């Protein structure tokens, strides 16, 4: 996914412009089995309207 150029869709709000997306920095990466924090944080892109995650760097 290229956040700069790919079309973005929110499951709640529908089609999004890139100005509708907010970045949450340094979100911890979790192991899905143990929930242990792994490595450095990553950026997560969320819908500015409802907060639903629309992408991860």
């Amino acid at each position: 996914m290229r956040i700069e150029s790919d079309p973005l869709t929110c499951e709640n709000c529908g089609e999004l412009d890139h100005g509708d997306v907010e970045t949450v920095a340094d979100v911890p990466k979790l192991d899905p089995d143990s929930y242990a924090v792994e490595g450095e944080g990553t950026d997560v892109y969320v819908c500015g309207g409802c907060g639903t995650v629309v992408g991860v760097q």
Side-chain angles (χ1 to χ4, degrees):
M1 172 181 196
R2 300 279 314 164
I3 195 73
E4 302 86 12
S5 59
D6 283 356
L8 301 170
T9 303
C10 171
E11 61 187 41
N12 297 318
C13 300
E15 293 288 320
L16 299 174
D17 289 329
H18 290 278
D20 298 329
V21 177
E22 298 176 1
T23 302
V24 179
D26 295 324
V27 175
K29 295 179 190 175
L30 298 177
D31 178 290
D33 296 322
S34 67
Y35 297 104
V37 176
E38 298 179 334
E40 304 273 330
T42 189
D43 291 345
V44 174
Y45 305 106
V46 299
C47 173
C50 70
T52 297
V53 174
V54 295
V56 177
Q57 181 179 33

